Amino acid sequence: MPQARPLSPHLQIYRWQIQMVTSIVHRATGIALAAGTVLLVCLLAGLAAGPEAYAKVQACAASLLGQILLFGWTWSLAFHLLNGLRHLLEDTGRGYAIKSFVMTGWIVVIGSLVLTALVWACVLLQRGGA
């Protein structure tokens, strides 16, 4: 009879923690930024192609789906930026104590939401609230 082999720990065994979430989300936001950069290149290509092409790209960006994608890209940029700064801090050997590690994780999450809200408030104010 074969012996039972030990199981590797997995996400159903570990209790979710802020450190775990920020690590996973950092990777996901990196992928989202890469995808968003492709959309940015399309926007620039439309701009270079002339007013008609740019108007089409601008109409796409102004649609509900376009606004959702732009909002998500903005949040991804804010989160990835702040978490990258957090990693730079950790590269200096600081911030590894559990209390500060958890605190900086929450600062990244909350800070990314605040930065995104500020950017979009500026965008909406620039447009006249539309």
Side-chain angles (χ1 to χ4, degrees):
M1 179 173 256
Q3 291 183 339
R5 298 180 68 197
L7 296 176
S8 296
H10 48 78
L11 294 178
Q12 293 173 336
I13 292 175
Y14 286 123
R15 184 175 59 90
W16 283 87
Q17 300 176 20
I18 188 69
Q19 302 92 316
M20 195 175 178
V21 173
T22 56
S23 177
I24 293 168
V25 173
H26 187 76
R27 289 168 174 80
T29 56
I31 293 167
L33 288 173
T37 302
V38 171
L39 295 175
L40 183 63
V41 168
C42 290
L43 176 73
L44 293 173
L47 184 60
E52 290 178 18
Y54 182 69
K56 289 179 184 177
V57 174
Q58 193 175 25
C60 182
S63 71
L64 179 62
L65 178 60
Q67 293 292 292
I68 291 169
L69 289 173
L70 286 171
F71 185 86
W73 192 74
T74 306
W75 176 77
S76 293
L77 181 61
F79 184 91
H80 207 77
L81 171 71
L82 292 176
N83 206 43
L85 291 173
R86 175 182 177 219
H87 280 286
L88 283 174
L89 174 72
E90 291 165 1
D91 287 344
T92 66
R94 297 184 199 103
Y96 280 112
I98 292 175
K99 186 175 180 178
S100 76
F101 204 72
V102 170
M103 181 186 66
T104 57
W106 282 109
I107 288 171
V108 166
V109 170
I110 294 166
S112 68
L113 294 171
V114 169
L115 276 176
T116 302
L118 288 172
V119 166
W120 277 87
C122 289
V123 167
L124 294 175
L125 288 173
Q126 189 75 26
R127 278 196 217 161

